[in-house]
Amino acid sequence: MNAEQLIADLHGRWVFGWERHAGDAPFDFRRTFGDLYDFGSPDVRLYDDFDPDQRVATTAAGYGSIWEPGFRAMVSAHHAVDDGPHVIAGHDLAASTLTFVARITLPDGATDIRTTTSLVWRRTPDGWRIVREHNSTKVLPAGTLDDTLPGAGRNSVSRQA
């Protein structure tokens, strides 16, 4: 498999790593993404504007600490790839961009989102690992994804991020 296809597959795995279903074990970032992020790199930069505090994490563990509380509180998170992944790959670095939609359901209701994600991957002795991440998210009108995400459920209460 060539590097572009491998990175495309990894980016797809990344999207669905965030998937949550009612009754899942508590979300554990390192258990879920330990083979995708570079947990040992001193130059990691990870950002997602869906984080209310809009923090930039400088370690993979730090990024996990941003997301674990929220994902543990979720009832479910359902995703679908809307566009991509689009990949360019060199010998030691690769970049991928992908757009996904998701319905994030909390006990008090659901939020539909569209996110464009860009990841930079570095080839390590253990394989390709994420060293840069930038996600831009738009909250969609309530019910936008009713027909897009099978099993995500209708009649959700929308909330703003």
Side-chain angles (χ1 to χ4, degrees):
M1 174 181 313
N2 67 31
E4 287 84 3
Q5 186 58 54
L6 179 59
I7 295 297
D9 291 350
L10 291 171
H11 202 149
R13 276 190 45 222
W14 175 88
V15 169
F16 293 104
W18 297 101
E19 194 84 355
R20 304 296 301 149
H21 300 276
D24 280 355
F27 180 71
D28 181 313
F29 183 84
R30 188 165 197 138
R31 184 182 66 232
T32 302
F33 295 114
D35 65 336
L36 294 179
Y37 285 88
D38 191 333
F39 278 82
S41 176
D43 61 354
V44 168
R45 299 293 179 273
L46 309 166
Y47 172 79
D48 188 327
D49 71 0
F50 200 62
D51 168 21
D53 296 326
Q54 299 201 340
R55 294 164 280 189
V56 177
T58 58
T59 66
Y63 198 54
S65 72
I66 291 171
W67 297 110
E68 281 181 343
F71 273 78
R72 286 179 178 169
M74 284 181 191
V75 173
S76 63
H78 298 287
H79 299 75
V81 173
D82 194 45
D83 181 56
H86 304 281
V87 178
I88 54 174
H91 183 265
D92 291 325
L93 289 174
S96 57
T97 302
L98 178 149
T99 301
F100 67 86
V101 294
R103 174 166 290 159
I104 309 299
T105 304
L106 297 168
D108 63 346
T111 300
D112 290 349
I113 61 172
R114 177 180 318 289
T115 299
T116 298
T117 177
S118 293
L119 303 176
V120 175
W121 304 79
R122 178 183 294 141
R123 186 189 307 265
T124 73
D126 297 320
W128 291 95
R129 298 293 187 264
I130 299 166
V131 293
R132 298 284 192 279
E133 179 174 328
H134 183 105
N135 300 309
S136 295
T137 299
K138 178 179 178 172
V139 174
L140 302 172
T144 298
L145 302 178
D146 284 353
D147 295 326
T148 304
L149 295 170
R154 291 180 164 263
N155 301 321
S156 310
V157 176
S158 179
R159 69 172 188 85
Q160 294 298 314

